[in-house]
Amino acid sequence: MTMTTAIATRQADLLWILLFTIASTLTTLIFACATPFPALAALAAVHLDRRDGVLLMLAAWAVSQAIGFCALGYPWDAATALTGVAIGTAAIAGALVASVANRLVPLRAPVARLAIAYVLAFATFKLGILLWAPAIGHTDAALSLPILQRQFVRYAAILAGFYALYRVLIAVGVPAPDAAPRTVLA
């Protein structure tokens, strides 16, 4: 790979991190729901390398926190900040698990790979929140079965929309990201 090709590839990867972050932010604002981290993690697992998947989670998390604190009036206290940390670490864990699974599952069809990555990202994200429960409290409502079911379906629908947007943008000439593993993250 030439230096010019490497730079162009990196620019395409960063463009997709930006595009996925913007799509996530708009979805969060339009549907007044939490950032769809499992949907983003599945997209990252299939279309980005692991490092860029983590960057996407961090970018989406940072924007989500900024909107919450600056626009939605989240209280500026330790409990709210700790909840934000819990969400961020759970989102990163979901992206890492989905990425590892995507590399290990020998499926060629992107939709099948997205589905597996999504289920694993959702389960990991929620497990991460559950592990933080003793420190952050108030997770009983977020982890109740009816809420989990609604979130699973809502985030799956958002994933379908994100994937359709991805396919449209690729079709109109936006360069595809390079999902080849180039990272030292395990």
Side-chain angles (χ1 to χ4, degrees), residues 40-116:
L40 291 172
L43 284 167
V46 174
H47 296 294
L48 300 171
D49 74 6
R50 204 169 302 146
R51 175 193 60 194
D52 288 342
V54 170
L55 286 174
L56 173 59
M57 292 300 107
L58 288 171
W61 174 83
V63 170
S64 172
Q65 294 301 297
I67 289 169
F69 284 105
C70 298
L72 300 178
Y74 287 4
W76 290 80
D77 60 23
T80 305
L82 187 60
T83 299
V85 170
I87 291 168
T89 58
I92 291 169
L96 291 172
V97 168
S99 179
V100 168
N102 184 59
R103 301 282 182 230
L104 296 176
V105 175
L107 295 174
R108 289 188 180 266
V111 173
R113 291 175 34 226
L114 275 172
I116 290 169

Side-chain angles (χ1 to χ4, degrees), residues 11-181:
Q11 288 173 338
D13 293 346
L14 292 173
L15 174 64
W16 281 102
I17 292 170
L18 176 65
L19 291 172
F20 287 151
T21 301
I22 291 169
S24 167
T25 302
L26 292 174
T27 302
T28 300
L29 291 170
I30 291 168
F31 295 112
C33 65
T35 302
F37 289 111
L40 291 172
L43 284 167
V46 174
H47 296 294
L48 300 171
D49 74 6
R50 204 169 302 146
R51 175 193 60 194
D52 288 342
V54 170
L55 286 174
L56 173 59
M57 292 300 107
L58 288 171
W61 174 83
V63 170
S64 172
Q65 294 301 297
I67 289 169
F69 284 105
C70 298
L72 300 178
Y74 287 4
W76 290 80
D77 60 23
T80 305
L82 187 60
T83 299
V85 170
I87 291 168
T89 58
I92 291 169
L96 291 172
V97 168
S99 179
V100 168
N102 184 59
R103 301 282 182 230
L104 296 176
V105 175
L107 295 174
R108 289 188 180 266
V111 173
R113 291 175 34 226
L114 275 172
I116 290 169
Y118 172 69
V119 169
L120 291 172
F122 185 87
T124 302
F125 179 72
K126 291 303 179 176
L127 179 61
I129 298 298
L130 182 63
L131 292 174
W132 276 94
I136 63 174
H138 64 74
T139 56
D140 53 333
L143 295 173
S144 72
L145 187 57
I147 291 173
L148 287 173
Q149 290 170 328
R150 272 196 314 274
Q151 287 178 338
F152 185 84
V153 170
R154 180 182 334 145
Y155 294 159
I158 290 169
L159 173 59
F162 284 173
Y163 185 64
L165 176 64
Y166 171 82
R167 298 303 310 163
V168 166
L169 291 173
I170 294 294
V172 299
V174 175
D178 178 19

